[in-house]
Amino acid sequence: MRQPHSLLSLLLTAGPIAQSSSGLSDSSLEKHVDIVTLGHSFNPVIAAYRTGYPHHRRTPFAVSPNRRTGYLAYLDASGTGVHVQPINPSTFAAMGDTVTVSAGKEAGGLVAHDDDAFAILTNEISPSSGSDIPIPVIYRFKNGRQVWKTFIGGPNLDSGGSSHASPDINGDLVFSEKYGHYAAYIVVTAYEGWASGHFGDAIRYLDTDGNIKEISGASSSWGCSHNTGIAFEAADAPPFASICAEDQGAIWLTTKGQGMATAGKKISNELTVNGGSNEPMGGMGGSYSALARFVGQDSYIFAWVSRGAVDLTPNDWMGTGYTKSQGRTENRNVAIALFSDKNTLVDEEATSEIGAADGDNQVTWVTEGSNDCSNAHAAAFNSSNALITWEEIQDPICDFEAMGCRGKFAGTFYQLVNSKGEKVGVPVKSTDSFVAGDMVTVSEGRVCWPYISMDWDLSGPASVSSVRKMSFACISTASGSTTPS
Ligand SMILES: *[C@@H]1O[C@H](CO)[C@@H](O)[C@H](O)[C@H]1NC(C)=O
């Protein structure tokens, strides 16, 4: 129907756009299309759990603290073998030889060091584990040679006596420069012991020699039930900043308590059904670059997608402090939360009041439309500003409760937000760039990540042929961007 007052709405919408000059603009986005020729084939799509809908297959990317060396990791198209390609973090050109973890089955996280060393999180079949499910493992390489390898699953790790495997890692590896330790936060399933057949998560700390450190109040063998999304970022001391999405009805800041415990903070109430919670951190292929630490600060920002929460009912299984809810919207929108330090939510915790009509009043929404949003990520530009990015589907069809949707891809969006969580300007829209790997602050005001230049079709399950080219994209803010030469 034609609107009689279209001139008025035109005038009204012209206002904010004209005032948005302080935000990002099209020229903030820089693309290096097909800049890297890969030594091996890579399949850029992973089918999502339950729906089979296409997700980007994660390509971890990391840059050394001195910003001289970058590394890009990707899974071989055969499904076995994780390749790590050194990358010049200024030009994104390949530099040096590819290193391969030949048994690796997922490129699950990457850390770059100054001395031509890196560590990678993957999973592999380990005959000595007593299981034919892949076991999570961390490798460290220096000058192209393996220095050590440490399984962070398998037997004899959990004091409770269960043995863990990770069919999908769906987590992350981080390193604290100050504390000098790695930590990995991963999804696990128990194949022996009290939790056999169930899914949970584990947090494992390692020193730089590859020894697992059992740290009280930081290490964890079984945290969130059926973890459906992880966000993890280093801190200057353990415990590191951690977030989980569980299948009982919430997303938690788990830094304190390392699990879905009321010792932590309830970030949000979520619709959860059958081990699904709306793929808040990206679902399959996700769980990276969702939580970012502001540069040089103790504060963090977290981005996820949510259907919101209404009509809170008791969670009898979990008891006081836990609730079930219904989604507010059919589609998912982008939400953010801010933390003044690794334990402290800036806004209130999500309510646990039984009978509450609104369960999401505390949420800071970045989008509030009817397009379905997915693949949300956060990265810090500097001490006080961050980049939030996501993808949208227009007129989404959401066949599966608490899972992803399908429909026409409507673009990737890049939004500047400040440390109060306020949007600055309007988002930049791009239909030919995507976030498909870790977002790295390569210099103040400049965030870059890898992706595959391709037609991105979200209309249903897709099979895509393998590629041999990797692209990189960056968003730079006008001020404070020191483009490396
Ligand atoms: C951080 O980046 C924003 C956006 O470009 C800029 O306005 C601000 O001045 C920067 N802050 C610092 C401390 O560099």
Side-chain angles (χ1 to χ4, degrees):
M1 195 180 92
R2 195 168 276 275
Q3 297 295 319
H5 50 268
S6 57
L7 183 63
L8 178 63
S9 55
L10 193 70
L11 288 170
L12 286 173
T13 53
I17 291 168
Q19 287 163 18
S20 69
S21 54
S22 54
L24 302 171
S25 64
D26 287 349
S27 62
S28 311
L29 174 63
E30 156 201 332
K31 285 169 284 191
H32 302 260
V33 177
D34 293 345
I35 181 90
V36 177
T37 299
L38 302 174
H40 306 266
S41 295
F42 170 67
N43 186 322
V45 165
I46 182 169
Y49 163 70
R50 196 172 285 264
T51 65
Y53 297 158
H55 286 186
H56 300 285
R57 189 186 300 274
R58 177 183 178 185
T59 49
F61 175 53
V63 174
S64 62
N66 67 9
R67 292 172 174 160
R68 292 218 190 101
T69 324
Y71 296 95
L72 170 79
Y74 60 99
L75 177 66
D76 193 277
S78 68
T80 304
V82 173
H83 308 293
V84 181
Q85 169 67 58
I87 297 284
N88 178 321
S90 304
T91 63
F92 302 104
M95 50 181 224
D97 295 335
T98 301
V99 166
T100 298
V101 176
S102 52
K105 292 200 151 297
E106 181 177 341
L110 190 60
V111 167
H113 298 288
D114 283 347
D115 57 348
D116 293 313
F118 67 83
I120 181 152
L121 169 65
T122 183
N123 55 352
E124 63 184 45
I125 305 286
S126 164
S128 62
S129 69
S131 173
D132 54 8
I133 308 172
I135 306 294
V137 58
I138 299 172
Y139 283 78
R140 177 156 156 147
F141 286 79
K142 185 172 161 64
N143 297 320
R145 296 190 182 285
Q146 183 181 320
V147 185
W148 50 255
K149 159 188 181 179
T150 302
F151 283 105
I152 57 168
N156 307 324
L157 255 185
D158 171 25
S159 55
S162 67
S163 303
H164 296 170
S166 293
D168 302 293
I169 293 170
N170 207 15
D172 211 0
L173 174 70
V174 300
F175 183 76
S176 167
E177 291 295 328
K178 271 245 171 75
Y179 180 54
H181 282 67
Y182 300 97
Y185 192 0
I186 52 173
V187 168
V188 300
T189 184
Y191 62 87
E192 247 169 50
W194 64 273
S196 274
H198 293 278
F199 278 82
D201 62 36
I203 304 176
R204 306 264 181 238
Y205 286 79
L206 281 80
D207 66 18
T208 49
D209 293 324
N211 303 304
I212 294 182
K213 298 284 169 183
E214 186 66 32
I215 302 170
S216 167
S219 302
S220 162
S221 273
W222 198 265
C224 295
S225 161
H226 212 304
N227 191 315
T228 56
I230 282 171
F232 198 38
E233 191 56 278
D236 293 343
F240 293 172
S242 59
I243 295 174
C244 87
E246 34 82 336
D247 67 349
Q248 290 293 314
I251 294 178
W252 299 86
L253 179 65
T254 59
T255 311
K256 212 174 258 171
Q258 293 82 48
M260 45 195 292
T262 47
K265 302 281 181 207
K266 197 203 248 190
I267 296 170
S268 66
N269 290 306
E270 303 290 339
L271 166 70
T272 57
V273 180
N274 292 334
S277 67
N278 318 296
E279 301 178 341
M281 288 83 135
M284 298 282 291
S287 293
Y288 64 91
S289 301
L291 178 65
R293 185 175 176 179
F294 285 103
V295 178
Q297 306 293 307
D298 288 332
S299 50
Y300 297 79
I301 184 166
F302 168 53
W304 78 104
V305 294
S306 173
R307 294 187 151 92
V310 297
D311 301 338
L312 266 54
T313 50
N315 183 327
D316 296 327
W317 169 253
M318 294 298 296
T320 307
Y322 300 87
T323 49
K324 295 272 185 196
S325 65
Q326 295 301 310
R328 180 179 293 281
T329 52
E330 172 92 354
N331 63 303
R332 297 166 297 169
N333 274 294
V334 179
I336 54 173
L338 289 133
F339 311 99
S340 53
D341 62 47
K342 65 184 181 180
N343 290 305
T344 312
L345 200 47
V346 171
D347 289 318
E348 280 173 52
E349 278 192 73
T351 182
S352 296
E353 187 195 331
I354 307 302
D358 298 326
D360 54 8
N361 286 339
Q362 87 293 351
V363 173
T364 301
W365 296 105
V366 175
T367 67
E368 292 184 85
S370 56
N371 280 2
D372 181 63
C373 301
S374 60
N375 199 31
H377 296 283
F381 279 123
N382 60 21
S383 58
S384 59
N385 279 260
L387 172 62
I388 303 297
T389 168
W390 66 93
E391 292 176 14
E392 292 190 10
I393 288 174
Q394 202 183 312
D395 303 322
I397 300 157
C398 308
D399 312 288
F400 298 86
E401 259 192 308
M403 299 303 301
C405 305
R406 63 187 164 93
K408 186 182 181 318
F409 172 60
T412 302
F413 292 82
Y414 303 103
Q415 171 73 56
L416 179 65
V417 299
N418 64 24
S419 54
K420 293 192 196 106
E422 295 163 343
K423 289 193 265 186
V424 182
V426 294
V428 168
K429 175 181 164 176
S430 166
T431 52
D432 61 1
S433 68
F434 327 96
V435 177
D438 300 53
M439 305 183 82
V440 177
T441 307
V442 297
S443 58
E444 291 248 331
R446 190 161 190 256
V447 170
C448 303
W449 63 90
Y451 72 101
I452 301 296
S453 176
M454 61 190 288
D455 288 329
W456 190 228
D457 181 0
L458 292 176
S459 61
S463 78
V464 165
S465 39
S466 299
V467 298
R468 288 295 272 262
K469 298 279 185 190
M470 186 72 61
S471 303
F472 280 83
C474 303
I475 289 266
S476 303
T477 58
S479 58
S481 109
T482 47
T483 310
S485 51

